[in-house]
Amino acid sequence: MPSSSAILADLIAFDTTSRESNLALIDYARAYLAGLGIDSQLLFNAERSKANLHARLGPAGAGGVMLSGHSDVVPVDGQSWSVPAFEMTERDGRLYGRGTADMKGFLACVLASLPAFLEKPLRLPLHIAISYDEEVGCLGVRSLVEQLHASPERPDICLIGEPTEMRPVLGHKGKLAMRCEVHGAACHSAYAPQGVNAIEYAARLIGKLGEIGCRLAAVEHHDSRFDPPYSTVQTGVIQGGRALNIVPAECRFDFEMRVLPADDPQTVAAELRDYAERALLPRMRAVSAASDIRFSELPSYPGLLTDPASQAAELLALISGSRDFSTVAFGTEGGLFDQAGIATVICGPGSMDQGHKPDEFVTLEQLDSCDALLVRLGQWMQRHS
Ligand SMILES: [Zn+2]
């Protein structure tokens, strides 16, 4: 059977940048599974240009373990690569190519490990999940999460192989991203008081966000498992205005909250809406009745914090050989699985230091370590009672 590095070479060759179809990769995985006698089903997007793959081995019924990863990768546009991005290059124990770390390396290890899972009967169900559009807001996996949530055959535990250098990880912050559009009223800047300056009202809202951010950092509960150990707020994009001598009627800004799993980012959003409604809109509408402030949600994902005493964490400690649990700064699909009642842990080959960058790589040593973890998982599932 092919090794994980041989399968990784095949997976890297599919350009699954999130804007592209992932179906060639999914067909490859499906054919590979079929070759082992494993049925799989696809869950397509509305345009049928992308799909999640879901397969189950072993006994029917509830419970068991799911191995999950995303098939899409971030773009290489504007990056300067010294090796081809969509062709695997091996050099000095490193395998280069877009997605080697994030996270086709894990998918390759999972596919390569399946013959070992099939060697003896599994006592628990093993699920395989490959999603799309993770890199653009964990969008693709949501239909699969919904289906699993409603299914009597829902797994208990999910292992997501995002790159942690094979360290056992139990959590990450959640993200709520939002857009705010301020609609004021334009006029000649010489008569500024007759207009409603959308940029100036947007600045008040952004200032309010800054205040909320300072308060979260200063007084509210901290959690030292995260870095920084509190929830943060920041504005990242702003657009508005056409010319200095026109009072701007439109301003739009995007902001995000990166919150501890225990915090609800909607309370921050509600505080900002409340400020807009009570403090700003009455003044704006006194000048121009059509003034408005509108909020909309951008792709976001929930946080994750699995209990270190849970069965999922115990299993991760057993197969990774470490109970030195930590958290990661980046987000995963894990919070969505967790919300569906599937306790989720993260451990995978490679490092996010290499993810999303030119000359992304994973080491052969990391793949070997992941292969070994999956062998231990297979043995545990074969002897579990
Ligand atoms: Zn990833």
Side-chain angles (χ1 to χ4, degrees), residues 70 102-103 134-135 162-163 352:
H70 60 83
D102 185 13
M103 60 177 288
E134 189 272 349
E135 297 288 4
E162 289 278 4
M352 207 51 109

Side-chain angles (χ1 to χ4, degrees), residues 12 76 79-92 94-100 357-362:
I12 293 304
V76 298
Q79 295 186 341
S80 122
W81 284 65
S82 69
V83 290
F86 294 104
E87 187 184 306
M88 200 171 78
T89 304
E90 183 176 345
R91 192 194 288 161
D92 303 329
R94 292 173 170 183
L95 303 172
Y96 290 88
R98 171 56 87 225
T100 43
K357 287 186 184 162
D359 291 350
E360 177 178 350
F361 68 85
V362 67

Side-chain angles (χ1 to χ4, degrees), residues 17 40 49 100 114 138 143 237 294 299 311 339 362 367 385:
T17 306
S40 55
S49 59
T100 43
L114 291 176
C138 300
S143 61
V237 180
R294 290 190 208 122
Q311 198 203 1
Q339 285 182 343
V362 67
L367 289 189
S385 50

Side-chain angles (χ1 to χ4, degrees), residues 6-38:
I7 294 175
L8 182 56
D10 291 340
L11 298 182
I12 293 304
F14 298 110
D15 177 357
T16 53
T17 306
S18 306
R19 63 182 173 232
E20 305 290 344
S21 168
N22 75 337
L23 293 181
L25 182 152
I26 292 293
D27 285 345
Y28 168 94
R30 202 170 192 212
Y32 176 91
L33 293 169
L36 295 171
I38 303 167

